[in-house]
């Protein structure tokens, strides 16, 4: 967790806050062993991976959504200044009024990475931004791209993607923590009642978490050989 997530601010390279970093450290060693570890090339994802004890390599194809000129601004700020642009962005996956990357382009990018991951001879652990988990989920389930905005990705949750014979399976929502640990995971004093927050900036109260990999990733269960991996979202 960091300030950008709390404020529904399009990421501007903010680091993890102390509570998020501490939570990630308590989960070090929990994720299954993997043939490779990857990370979205952002400060908070790199810090999450390090806190989890992973020696992860940057993966540009797993970068978060490029928000163009909206980067660093909150959703409320942008909506007040450009209401029609925001409405278009939240309903049309091909729209990129901020001048960056569209949701469609993100989904295509992540789908290409999934195709590559399916041929990797072992498990991949990836610590990624929440929108990468959403994009992977859309593609794996064959869902329409507007469903991207209906997928809630909370910090430090595992999304497991397992593939065999060109078919992906998805297990979503397991928290990254040791048995018996939990509580107020993001350190905001609310007893971890964050399911009532508008995490994805679409104007509604989100229910159900998955992060995450959150900030969150992709992965699968070790029983499946092709495309085996585990994705975890940033803290």
């Amino acid at each position: 967790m960091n300030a950008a997530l709390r404020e529904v601010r399009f990421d501007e390279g903010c680091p993890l806050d102390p509570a998020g970093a501490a939570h990630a450290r308590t989960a070090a060693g929990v994720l299954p062993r993997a043939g490779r570890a990857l990370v979205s090339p952002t400060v908070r994802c790199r810090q999450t991976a390090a806190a989890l004890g992973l020696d992860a390599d940057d993966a540009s194809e797993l970068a978060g959504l490029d928000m163009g000129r909206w980067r660093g601004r909150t959703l409320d700020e942008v909506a007040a200044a450009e209401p029609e642009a925001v409405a278009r962005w939240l309903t049309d996956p091909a729209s990129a009024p901020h001048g960056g990357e569209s949701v469609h382009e993100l989904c295509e990018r992540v789908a290409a990475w999934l195709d590559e991951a399916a041929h990797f001879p072992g498990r991949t652990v990836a610590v990624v931004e929440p929108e990468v988990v959403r994009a992977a989920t859309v593609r794996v389930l064959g869902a329409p791209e507007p469903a991207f905005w209906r997928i809630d990705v909370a910090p430090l949750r595992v999304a497991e993607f397992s593939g065999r014979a060109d078919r992906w399976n998805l297990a979503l929502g397991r928290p990254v923590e040791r048995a018996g640990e939990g509580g107020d995971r993001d350190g905001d004093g609310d007893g971890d009642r964050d399911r009532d927050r508008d995490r994805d900036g679409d104007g509604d109260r989100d229910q159900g978490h998955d992060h995450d990999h959150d900030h969150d990733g992709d992965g699968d269960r070790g029983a499946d050989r092709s495309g085996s991996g585990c994705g975890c979202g940033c803290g």
Side-chain angles (χ1 to χ4, degrees):
M1 179 64 73
N2 68 0
L5 285 176
R6 294 183 193 283
E7 299 169 1
V8 196
R9 182 182 300 277
F10 300 118
D11 184 46
E12 55 182 345
C14 294
L16 290 180
D17 62 20
H23 182 202
R25 285 193 297 271
T26 65
V30 169
L31 292 173
R33 278 195 270 180
R36 61 176 177 175
L38 304 175
V39 63
S40 290
T42 59
V43 173
R44 64 189 180 193
C45 284
R46 291 182 183 119
Q47 290 179 332
T48 299
L52 289 170
L54 299 174
D55 182 14
D57 295 322
D58 280 6
S60 59
E61 60 269 40
L62 296 179
L65 185 64
D66 177 4
M67 296 305 301
R69 57 189 172 81
W70 291 357
R71 189 170 183 263
R73 302 168 68 186
T74 67
L75 179 64
D76 286 344
E77 290 170 348
V78 176
E82 306 176 54
E84 293 182 359
V86 169
R88 189 165 66 251
W89 177 63
L90 289 173
T91 55
D92 180 4
S95 175
H98 42 63
E101 185 178 32
S102 70
V103 168
H104 169 73
E105 290 169 331
L106 171 66
C107 289
E108 289 289 289
R109 169 161 60 84
V110 173
W113 182 84
L114 285 169
D115 288 342
E116 180 273 329
H119 298 287
F120 182 73
R123 177 183 284 117
T124 298
V125 171
V127 180
V128 300
E129 292 292 338
E131 58 267 32
V132 176
V133 180
R134 289 176 177 152
T137 301
V138 165
R139 282 295 185 255
V140 164
L141 297 181
E145 289 178 349
F148 176 90
W149 294 114
R150 312 311 306 168
I151 302 168
D152 185 27
V153 180
L156 283 177
R157 298 295 190 278
V158 171
E160 295 179 287
F161 299 86
S162 57
R164 187 190 294 275
D166 298 323
R167 174 180 174 179
W168 288 99
N169 295 316
L170 171 63
L172 204 60
R174 178 167 63 84
V176 183
E177 62 186 19
R178 297 186 184 281
E181 293 182 352
D184 185 18
R185 297 186 182 94
D186 56 14
D188 62 3
D190 69 355
D192 214 26
R193 293 191 300 270
D194 298 310
R195 63 172 56 88
D196 295 327
R197 288 191 181 160
D198 182 18
R199 289 187 185 279
D200 57 9
D202 63 0
D204 68 358
R205 298 263 179 193
D206 299 312
Q207 300 191 5
H209 303 308
D210 62 36
H211 204 61
D212 119 71
H213 244 255
D214 12 273
H215 305 22
D216 336 113
D218 10 12
D220 76 344
R221 299 187 181 278
D224 294 307
R225 294 176 55 200
S226 65
S228 174
C230 173
C232 178
C234 316

